[in-house]
Amino acid sequence: MNAGRALRRITAAFLAAAAFCVQASALGLSEADSALLKSYETSLAAADPAAAAAFLGDAGFAERLKEADPRKAADLTAKARGLKDLKDLLSKPWRDDQELELSQALALRVDLDTPLSLVGVGPEPEKVPAWMARYGGYTDGRTAQVKGAIRQYETVKSVFEYGEAPSEQVWARYTLRERNGLLAAKASGKLERMINNETRTGKEFQEQVRADELFRYLDPAGRARYQRYLTQLSVAETAKAGLSPGELEGIKDQPIEQQMYLLGAMFDGSESRPRDPAERRTERRVDGARQSMPGETLSYENNRMLTEMLRNALPGELKGTAAGNRVLAFYKGDKPQLAIESCRGCYAKYEPSTGRIVLDSDMIQQYLRVNDIRTEDLLQSKEKVDALAEYISPIVVHEASHQMQHARSDGAGTYDPYVQEDEIESNSFEASYTAEKLKKDAHFRRLFAGMRGVSTYADQRLKLAQRFNRNPDDFGELVRRQYYYGLPSYDAASSQVLAAVSGELERRKTLDAAELDEIESGSVPLQDAMGMTAAEVTGSVTRLSGEALAKIQSDLMSGAGGEGEAVGYEELLKEGRSAPVRSRVPAL
Amino acid sequence: MTRLLTALFLLCGCANAGDQPPSPGGKASAKAPAPVSAAADRFSCRRPAGWEAKNGTERERAADIQKLELLGPRADKAPVMIYASFYGQANQVFAGYEDFIERNSKNILGETESETEKFGPVKKTTLSGRKVFAFDSEIKEYLDPESKAGDSVVIKEKFYVEPVKGGFFVLHYYAPASVYKKYLPVFREFSASCRVR
């Protein structure tokens, strides 16, 4: 062997060994652990899910690394957890009709600055199927599902009109969140044009609207409008079947809202003649589905007056029920702050920034139309306002429960992300209230029984109360698995947020003063961060102030929050227990 | 000589040279799922393969409720679930088996049928030689009770209720209508395997 070459080989080996030994001694790790660390770093940087599982399962090594180098430990833990989370997500049995759920779940994970993006699985959505192909084990069907869920160009380009589709290169640069936003806007635009211009209402047209691929991408508010449009088409078609040729001629070439308006006016105009139950039922459905006419809407002044009247009427409705008494005790003799506005896809919401419970104006106006109540008559009748207060009381109890949750975490000054346990508590409050009112208040019972066929709001309140009444003990699991499946549990949310926040805190320890100043100057302050959801925190962790990161980490590590389920639900369970039932079931 | 020097340099200062670190990404020891018999004090049942099982909480046990929840695949955005539950006399949820049947065999307005619901009659039958009450329901349930969109799924359920010493035992099957028949045999087999003590 050439002497020079041999010397170079010896020197290279010496330097490698020396570097190896230096690293080992600098970190305080054994040689074996150092070699293991190097392997993990390489494998996790390559987004290897098997390495992630091995790292997370190696508690002993993780402890030793945390003692030796906390920054590295936090960094590798966040990456490993992100990969395990993605593997678990894609291992679930997703059906084809769950594409929207899968897309939303991926959008949270594969975004700018998320743990997955740091290991190269994102933010470009196409990196997900590439990762699946690299690490194998996925069926063609699953891969196709994911390509649909990430809105891959080939799966969406057909919904664009000729000439308006972005190029594939441009599309590739959009994150999944941006893609979903663009598609939702496009779908919403098409729906509005249809509502404003289309005159057909027949079964064939209804099927065409149902089958339109673009409407798959509607956001929740758009989806609500879409469902209402389908209801209007169906109701209009049924109502027109009973019209004379002359009456039909005056309606058929109008867009849907105008058709509903004219149909409503026709029914109102024929009040003097007797009608059979079927016709009356159709009239109520028309009234439920159409827009409000002048006289049925709320002007600014009427809105303010009605809001104040409802505030005064609500305590009387809530009193005497377990959940209602709990809400009244929370307000301590005061009344909830209410507002009547468009809620865009929801019936009501609690606004932490203003302390108001916002009631959807559409919901209230629908109630007035179906019950033939003009606004002026409503405002002059305490009885009618009391009835409206009765109608909205279940959803007010629900939102008041959310207000109580905010008060609890604000009072404790802790970070408390929005999780399934919050909705278990609020839905239990609402359902328990409604179930008790149905038993005790005949007027309440008649009101909801009468509204359920024409108002989705009323039917939903009854169904929720029914599910709770059938088995309060199983109710919480159903809330998790069916109603709020896409919302994380407290454990899942706190784990994900803690990993992200801890990793970011460790990363900032490696930055110099100038870099830290730059981050702080444009950062999200503590007060704003405390109100963020888990997804918002993990998605914007690099933009949070250091104070916010430290506070959130401290709160989650101390296990604060997530108590709502036990506090609200358990006691309602006891208070809502039904009295012994005389047996109507024959003995076996 | 070259080889000796190289070997010496590589061995210097490196303790634990004999330790072989586990290779990351190596397969964890895979355990084949063993047949599981899920047991509580008052009942035992054989868990179907591939279904996720969850026992009741300590809080429930303290409240004289023993429960086994089985979670199957999802369909139409809703879960497929099977429950085996024992309710003791001290439980605060139901006054007795009659209360359970009354609340689950009618809607909340006391009807057995409406535009969106249907409850079958309560029948006396036998299950593995034991006398039980059986009934079912079919209900349009909402996927999100707060959303104006009103997306829904038709849920079908089947119940077996057995009065026993010290309380009553319930077997409950919950599934979207589209897959109800598919997993009904799983529920039947599971139900037949349950033994109440």
Side-chain angles (χ1 to χ4, degrees), chain A residues 1 6-7 9-10 13-14 16-17 20-21 30-33 35-36 39-40 43 48 50-51 54 58 93 95 97-98 100-101 220 223-224 227 281 285 343-348 360 362-363 395 398-399 402 418 423 427 430 434-435 438 445 448-449 452-453 455-456 459-474 477-478 480-485 565-566 569-570 573-574 576-588, chain B residues 1-3 5-6 9-17 19-26 52 54 59-60 63 65 67 69 71-79 81 83 85 87 89-111 113-117 119 122-125 131-133 135-137 139-151 153 155 157 159 161-163 172 174 178-179 182:
Chain A
M1 180 189 286
L7 184 59
R9 284 191 178 180
I10 292 168
F14 171 76
F20 205 54
C21 297
S30 67
E31 282 306 312
D33 277 352
L36 187 53
S39 278
Y40 278 134
S43 302
D48 184 345
D58 196 346
R95 284 173 59 95
D97 61 355
Q98 293 178 295
L100 179 59
E101 284 178 286
R223 196 141 182 83
Q227 290 293 348
R281 207 159 40 239
R285 287 193 170 138
C343 195
R344 288 183 58 76
C346 60
Y347 297 112
D360 184 52
D362 279 349
M363 170 185 68
I395 207 72
H398 183 116
E399 297 306 326
H402 283 313
Y418 173 53
E423 288 301 345
N427 279 276
E430 180 200 324
T434 306
L438 287 168
R445 188 185 176 91
F448 276 88
R452 62 179 163 162
S455 162
T456 306
D459 199 35
Q460 284 169 324
R461 309 285 67 74
L462 286 176
K463 291 273 170 56
L464 190 77
Q466 179 168 295
R467 186 51 66 181
F468 180 84
N469 188 57
R470 289 181 87 178
N471 197 326
D473 195 51
D474 291 346
E477 281 307 297
L478 197 71
R480 285 188 201 278
R481 300 198 192 288
Q482 182 159 316
Y483 302 146
Y484 295 92
Y485 186 66
E565 181 187 4
Y569 174 54
E570 274 296 300
L573 204 59
K574 288 178 195 166
R577 184 179 187 277
S578 60
V581 173
R582 271 181 304 148
S583 174
R584 280 168 245 170
V585 177
L588 283 169
Chain B
M1 180 59 175
T2 305
R3 290 195 197 104
L5 285 171
T6 305
F9 283 136
L10 286 172
L11 286 170
C12 80
C14 295
N16 303 317
D19 288 354
Q20 293 299 317
S23 81
E52 188 183 324
K54 191 175 152 190
R59 198 172 68 215
E60 283 173 320
I65 299 171
K67 189 168 291 188
E69 180 191 347
L71 189 61
R74 291 178 68 79
D76 301 330
K77 301 184 183 180
M81 300 187 290
Y83 287 95
S85 312
Y87 295 89
Q89 285 172 343
N91 92 86
Q92 297 290 304
V93 182
F94 296 101
Y97 75 90
E98 303 101 322
D99 184 26
F100 183 94
I101 292 173
E102 184 67 19
R103 282 154 67 173
N104 283 278
S105 61
K106 299 186 175 76
N107 72 12
I108 201 163
L109 298 175
E111 302 163 335
E113 194 165 341
S114 72
E115 280 185 24
T116 58
E117 305 154 305
F119 293 80
V122 180
K123 296 176 184 171
K124 293 184 213 175
T125 185
K131 290 181 182 176
V132 299
F133 293 100
F135 55 96
D136 47 37
S137 63
I139 300 172
K140 172 184 154 184
E141 292 276 8
Y142 292 96
L143 294 171
D144 180 351
E146 292 188 76
S147 167
K148 286 166 71 173
D151 293 330
V153 61
I155 295 291
E157 296 171 83
F159 294 87
V161 181
E162 180 186 357
H172 174 199
Y174 177 107
S178 61
V179 296
K182 182 177 178 182

Side-chain angles (χ1 to χ4, degrees), chain A residues 314-572:
Chain A
L314 272 167
E317 291 307 321
L318 301 182
K319 190 178 170 186
T321 58
N325 289 341
R326 188 81 65 79
V327 168
L328 291 173
F330 168 71
Y331 288 120
K332 293 176 187 164
D334 204 349
K335 296 156 201 165
Q337 291 299 318
L338 300 180
I340 301 174
E341 296 173 4
S342 173
C343 195
R344 288 183 58 76
C346 60
Y347 297 112
K349 62 183 175 187
Y350 170 65
E351 273 185 350
S353 56
T354 60
R356 304 181 311 171
I357 293 175
V358 176
L359 301 165
D360 184 52
S361 49
D362 279 349
M363 170 185 68
I364 290 179
Q365 287 173 174
Q366 183 197 48
Y367 172 86
L368 298 181
R369 291 194 305 270
V370 170
N371 291 287
D372 294 326
I373 300 172
R374 296 180 69 80
T375 311
E376 281 159 17
D377 297 334
L378 173 70
L379 296 175
Q380 289 172 17
S381 167
K382 182 177 182 306
E383 187 186 346
K384 287 185 169 63
V385 171
D386 285 348
L388 179 56
E390 197 170 54
Y391 185 66
I392 64 171
S393 61
I395 207 72
V396 169
V397 167
H398 183 116
E399 297 306 326
S401 168
H402 283 313
Q403 185 172 3
M404 290 154 75
Q405 289 158 7
H406 278 273
R408 214 157 49 216
S409 46
D410 289 349
T414 53
Y415 175 68
D416 194 9
Y418 173 53
V419 291
Q420 285 177 338
E421 285 79 359
D422 294 323
E423 288 301 345
I424 290 174
E425 184 179 30
S426 295
N427 279 276
S428 298
F429 256 70
E430 180 200 324
S432 159
Y433 169 80
T434 306
E436 201 173 343
K437 282 286 277 192
L438 287 168
K439 283 180 202 163
K440 291 178 173 174
D441 188 333
H443 187 272
F444 183 94
R445 188 185 176 91
R446 274 197 308 276
L447 174 62
F448 276 88
M451 289 295 291
R452 62 179 163 162
V454 295
S455 162
T456 306
Y457 164 80
D459 199 35
Q460 284 169 324
R461 309 285 67 74
L462 286 176
K463 291 273 170 56
L464 190 77
Q466 179 168 295
R467 186 51 66 181
F468 180 84
N469 188 57
R470 289 181 87 178
N471 197 326
D473 195 51
D474 291 346
F475 183 73
E477 281 307 297
L478 197 71
V479 171
R480 285 188 201 278
R481 300 198 192 288
Q482 182 159 316
Y483 302 146
Y484 295 92
Y485 186 66
L487 195 58
S489 65
Y490 180 78
D491 285 346
S494 60
S495 167
Q496 197 170 18
V497 169
L498 194 54
V501 161
S502 298
E504 175 61 14
L505 280 168
E506 293 304 322
R507 184 186 77 88
R508 291 194 190 182
K509 285 179 184 172
T510 65
L511 303 180
D512 60 36
E515 288 168 319
L516 286 172
D517 283 344
E518 192 181 344
I519 290 175
E520 290 294 326
S521 67
S523 66
V524 176
L526 173 65
Q527 188 183 1
D528 293 347
M530 293 293 274
M532 282 180 158
T533 63
E536 286 166 347
V537 170
T538 53
S540 57
V541 70
T542 56
R543 296 188 286 276
L544 300 184
S545 69
E547 186 188 13
L549 291 171
K551 179 74 168 81
I552 291 172
Q553 182 191 51
S554 168
D555 286 346
L556 293 179
M557 287 178 74
S558 70
E563 299 167 351
E565 181 187 4
V567 171
Y569 174 54
E570 274 296 300
E571 297 191 22
L572 283 178

Side-chain angles (χ1 to χ4, degrees), chain A residues 116-184:
Chain A
L116 280 176
S117 294
L118 294 176
V119 294
V121 189
E124 296 86 351
E126 274 67 27
K127 289 188 176 175
V128 176
W131 176 85
M132 292 168 73
R134 180 172 179 185
Y135 290 104
Y138 296 101
T139 62
D140 291 347
R142 176 50 48 91
T143 304
Q145 274 182 330
V146 169
K147 285 180 178 176
I150 64 167
R151 317 315 190 187
Q152 196 178 50
Y153 191 71
E154 286 301 315
T155 67
V156 301
K157 65 179 183 182
S158 62
V159 303
F160 290 99
E161 304 286 341
Y162 178 76
E164 67 168 25
S167 70
E168 191 167 358
Q169 290 73 25
V170 168
W171 192 253
R173 289 198 292 272
Y174 290 141
T175 65
L176 183 50
R177 193 150 35 103
E178 287 166 342
R179 292 178 186 186
N180 281 330
L182 280 165
L183 288 166

